[in-house]
Amino acid sequence: MCGIVGYAGHRQAADVVIEGLRRLEYRGYDSAGIAVVEDGKLRSAKRAGKLVNLVEALAEGAPLPGRVGVGHTRWATHGPPTDPNAHPHTDCNGHLAVVHNGIIENFAALRAEAAAAGHELASDTDTEVVAHLLEAEMAAADADGTQLARPGSLAEAMRRVCRRLEGAFTLVAVDIRDPGAVVGARRNSPLVIGCGEGENFLASDVAAFIAYTRRAVELGQDQVAEIRADGVTVTGFDGVPARVTGYRVDWDVSAAEKAGYEYFMLKEIAEQPRAIADTLLGRIGADGNLTLDEMRLPADELREIDKIVVVACGTAYHAGMIAKYAIEHWCRIPCEVELASEFRYRDPILTRSTLVIAISQSGETMDTLMAVRHAREQRSRVLAICNVNGSSIPRECDAVLYTRAGPEIAVASTKAFLTQLVGCYLVALYLAQLRGTKYGDEARDVVSQLAQMPNAVDVVLETMEPVRALARELASEGCVLFLGRHVGFPVALEGALKLKELAYMHAEGFAAGELKHGPIALIEGGLPVVVVVPSPGGREVLHDKIVSNIQEIRARGARVIVIAEEGDHEVKPYADTLIEVPHVPTLLQPLVTTVPLQVFACELATAKGHDVDQPRNLAKSVTVE
Ligand code: G6P
């Protein structure tokens, strides 16, 4: 949540910062702002609303020269999305500016202290107290009041301030008294350093600087980085120099472009076959066995596991729900799935032989990160299934399996979800292979079916025009329900979530068997109900039961939209609209049945005139609890 950019180099900082914010806008779009340092002056501009408002304001005003600057795109926590609450926040004298991502939990006490000391607070934010704390530290360092440039003074002030802060924060600041420096600090929220030639960057995500450099360093917990055009210095909050390791970003700027699509979401839906194929790449040996040595969990330890707990949020949680079916069926290990935000607060029973699997696209979701820390404190093994290299969650886990969806920019998750499923299937099959709970040839059979999935998803994508037509037709409906059984149940939840997120429409997913215990009271004439029908060739009993559920809702006047396997003649007569998907094994079905629901939600939201990449009130990387 909130996107941050800092730049020190040879280019116009304002251009680099605005371009970086454009790439980070998925992290929040309640307001945007920029500050640059030039010739002993701090100049800033900020506007409520999307980045375009700031860009328009800058175009009308005087240019912002300077080769050092910071920028911010906000997802509001403290204070409504207004101009005064937009970042950067400045001190009383306009000497320094700071941007922030996260929540400073002890801000009320610090704010009272700042006010008592005579500082003027101009916003409702927790961030502004940092500007005034920095002001006090800089004033103390500038005892003779000459305001002479002192390289390193801002970094020292930042370290002193950070030691007083509680909560989660990424902070980036500039100050006219240390004019060549941009200083960043990090606790629990992400900050990456981009290392260029004669220029350096700070950003919440590499996307902000990938057009200039692919060399990156992830700032560690409780560290402060000072970047200048010609160098980078990293220390702990205590001032002790830190050892850092860099990495090379393995995708280029075109991966973060729309490539001719109207929305990132459309592009990301279309990329799903490739994303699945990439996630499988190199993980299936020539003999059909899985090789997941990269996970770094010794085989002996994996054999001793007696319970698996999956923790995740949002769409990733739905992937976890599906993983449970696969893990228990293939590995015969009891598996629980829990919303990460609930997990640690109920005192879960975890032991050294529990494997906790944390699923997260961004690797930064605060609830999931906190669940990981809790599990590690209990000495459980923790495996991350994550899409972003080097992000906080995999860094704090014992092991990681990276999905290879590439950058996912639309706020609503699509390709990350399908690759999370693939990641879960791989882990489950690997455990089954290792523990011998599936015969080798059976496991290899599933693995080879998994390898067919990019084709199957391709086929689905090619037949989506009727789904788009249906979405346009239903755009004025007030409510849509989704039903499923077995792995179709989490798919129903995911279908409903997509519609809520994108179309702001009341949508609910239910386990079809639960219908008669309450939700059936919602059914009335013409209500659209999407039913995810299991394969008739898989578990017949499941198929027959859902056909009965369809009868029950039809009898009450629902408009039945069925997603079923091609050639399912039994269900066809009861469908007002039939969406066919290719036959795939039951446990893998979510890979094909979710796709029409993504397309449906995206098209319906577009028909309602919504920005599907940036739905209201949401942000992609949720770095607050
Ligand atoms: C946000 C996003 C969702 C995502 C969830 C978890 O709510 O809008 O699309 O599923 O966070 O994110 P993660 O990065 O942990 O997968």
Side-chain angles (χ1 to χ4, degrees):
M1 263 160 182
C2 299
I4 289 181
V5 188
Y7 177 76
H10 50 80
R11 301 173 205 264
Q12 286 293 337
D15 296 345
V16 178
V17 167
I18 294 293
E19 181 57 21
L21 292 181
R22 194 174 69 74
R23 293 186 186 281
L24 296 186
E25 213 184 358
Y26 71 86
R27 302 180 72 87
Y29 27 84
D30 287 334
S31 65
I34 181 171
V36 294
V37 171
E38 158 83 349
D39 217 7
K41 289 198 183 67
L42 180 81
R43 294 186 178 84
S44 73
K46 50 193 198 174
R47 285 293 180 277
K50 293 191 177 183
L51 179 63
V52 62
N53 296 356
L54 175 68
V55 171
E56 282 170 11
L58 289 175
E60 284 163 15
L64 285 184
R67 313 217 173 252
V68 162
V70 295
H72 186 268
T73 176
R74 178 173 188 236
W75 187 85
T77 59
H78 293 56
T82 57
D83 286 354
N85 287 335
H87 302 213
H89 291 284
T90 50
D91 64 332
C92 297
N93 307 312
H95 288 162
L96 65 88
V98 64
V99 295
H100 167 222
N101 169 22
I103 292 181
I104 293 161
E105 286 168 3
N106 58 337
F107 97 100
L110 295 171
R111 191 180 166 96
E113 180 189 310
H119 292 271
E120 283 170 30
L121 290 130
S123 78
D124 312 312
T125 64
D126 51 342
T127 309
E128 196 188 357
V129 300
V130 176
H132 295 285
L133 289 174
L134 284 171
E135 176 186 352
E137 293 295 345
M138 290 299 278
D142 185 30
D144 60 3
T146 52
Q147 290 181 18
L148 293 174
R150 263 192 300 269
S153 56
L154 182 59
E156 180 52 23
M158 182 66 91
R159 283 189 285 269
R160 286 170 185 268
V161 169
C162 286
R163 294 201 287 264
R164 301 197 58 202
L165 303 180
E166 290 166 16
F169 50 87
T170 300
L171 296 162
V172 176
V174 288
D175 190 304
I176 58 170
R177 289 158 292 184
D178 193 353
V182 182
V183 171
R186 164 179 191 269
R187 172 180 288 165
N188 293 339
S189 298
L191 189 63
V192 195
I193 306 167
C195 307
E197 296 296 329
E199 58 183 349
N200 291 297
F201 307 78
L202 287 169
S204 308
D205 174 341
V206 296
F209 55 71
I210 188 74
Y212 310 102
T213 179
R214 290 205 203 179
R215 286 191 297 138
V217 174
E218 205 81 30
L219 197 64
Q221 182 72 342
D222 285 6
Q223 289 183 345
V224 168
E226 181 196 81
I227 63 161
R228 297 176 175 275
D230 56 358
V232 173
T233 315
V234 180
T235 68
F237 284 177
D238 53 8
V240 175
R243 285 168 63 101
V244 294
T245 41
Y247 62 95
R248 201 176 152 73
V249 182
D250 59 5
W251 50 271
D252 67 26
V253 71
S254 64
E257 300 286 359
K258 286 187 195 157
Y261 287 89
E262 194 181 351
Y263 292 108
F264 279 109
M265 186 171 177
L266 291 171
K267 175 182 172 236
E268 289 160 10
I269 289 173
E271 284 173 342
Q272 293 184 111
R274 189 216 31 85
I276 294 173
D278 286 354
T279 301
L280 291 171
L281 206 68
R283 288 168 170 161
I284 304 173
D287 56 0
N289 287 330
L290 291 174
T291 46
L292 299 186
D293 303 340
E294 57 181 284
M295 281 199 329
R296 307 187 310 257
L297 274 184
D300 286 352
E301 281 182 20
L302 290 174
R303 284 195 193 94
E304 278 161 22
I305 285 160
D306 59 14
K307 183 168 90 168
I308 293 180
V309 181
V310 184
V311 289
C313 300
T315 289
Y317 172 69
H318 297 152
M321 288 179 77
I322 293 164
K324 175 184 165 78
Y325 290 88
I327 290 169
E328 294 197 333
H329 184 66
W330 290 335
C331 315
R332 311 307 298 156
I333 306 174
C335 178
E336 295 169 12
V337 189
E338 181 126 17
L339 289 167
S341 53
E342 290 292 318
F343 177 66
R344 70 184 168 133
Y345 300 105
R346 70 169 174 88
D347 197 11
I349 298 166
L350 301 168
T351 68
R352 291 175 80 95
S353 47
T354 307
L355 175 68
V356 173
I357 303 180
I359 308 176
S360 175
Q361 186 284 130
S362 61
E364 299 294 349
T365 301
M366 183 60 72
D367 289 316
T368 311
L369 180 61
M370 291 301 161
V372 165
R373 288 194 186 153
H374 183 78
R376 294 208 68 199
E377 280 161 17
Q378 313 297 310
R379 299 182 171 264
S380 295
R381 294 273 170 274
V382 189
L383 164 70
I385 295 181
C386 183
N387 194 43
V388 179
N389 256 293
S391 52
S392 300
I393 290 171
R395 280 158 61 100
E396 297 203 17
C397 286
D398 299 292
V400 57
L401 182 95
Y402 282 112
T403 52
R404 301 188 190 123
E408 190 183 66
I409 290 161
V411 166
S413 185
T414 54
K415 62 176 180 172
F417 176 68
L418 291 204
T419 58
Q420 283 161 355
L421 288 180
V422 172
C424 292
Y425 293 139
L426 288 173
V427 171
L429 285 167
Y430 184 64
L431 286 171
Q433 179 182 297
L434 209 70
R435 296 162 67 102
T437 48
K438 258 197 155 335
Y439 290 119
D441 56 341
E442 281 176 338
R444 283 191 289 277
D445 199 31
V446 186
V447 169
S448 81
Q449 285 160 340
L450 207 45
Q452 304 303 315
M453 288 302 115
N455 288 340
V457 174
D458 234 344
V459 170
V460 178
L461 287 170
E462 277 164 19
T463 53
M464 285 297 95
E465 198 38 53
V467 175
R468 284 190 275 270
L470 177 73
R472 292 191 290 269
E473 195 189 321
L474 298 184
S476 55
E477 291 290 335
C479 170
V480 180
L481 300 185
F482 295 77
L483 301 178
R485 277 181 179 262
H486 192 258
V487 289
F489 168 42
V491 171
L493 294 177
E494 176 60 9
L497 178 63
K498 282 284 153 290
L499 210 54
K500 281 182 233 185
E501 284 178 305
L502 300 173
Y504 320 147
M505 195 184 241
H506 179 229
E508 295 294 337
F510 298 106
E514 276 295 291
L515 198 63
K516 54 192 175 294
H517 299 295
I520 201 162
L522 295 169
I523 308 282
E524 52 187 22
L527 179 81
V529 182
V530 180
V531 189
V532 184
V533 175
S535 164
R539 297 174 170 212
E540 275 171 29
V541 61
L542 278 177
H543 182 266
D544 295 351
K545 295 277 183 242
I546 213 156
V547 173
S548 306
N549 297 138
I550 292 175
Q551 303 286 15
E552 290 156 12
I553 55 170
R554 268 178 72 84
R556 288 161 179 83
R559 173 173 182 171
V560 182
I561 300 152
V562 165
I563 300 180
E565 212 172 275
E566 59 199 359
D568 184 346
H569 300 297
E570 231 177 298
V571 81
K572 203 169 178 175
Y574 310 122
D576 294 309
T577 307
L578 179 65
I579 300 163
E580 291 188 310
V581 293
H583 167 74
V584 304
T586 302
L587 280 168
L588 306 188
Q589 253 196 339
L591 289 171
V592 289
T593 50
T594 308
V595 176
L597 302 182
Q598 299 167 340
V599 172
F600 178 70
C602 185
E603 184 73 18
L604 199 148
T606 310
K608 290 180 96 168
H610 298 169
D611 179 343
V612 294
D613 284 342
Q614 296 181 348
R616 73 180 179 202
N617 302 339
L618 298 178
K620 190 155 188 69
S621 243
V622 183
T623 51
V624 294
E625 269 190 278

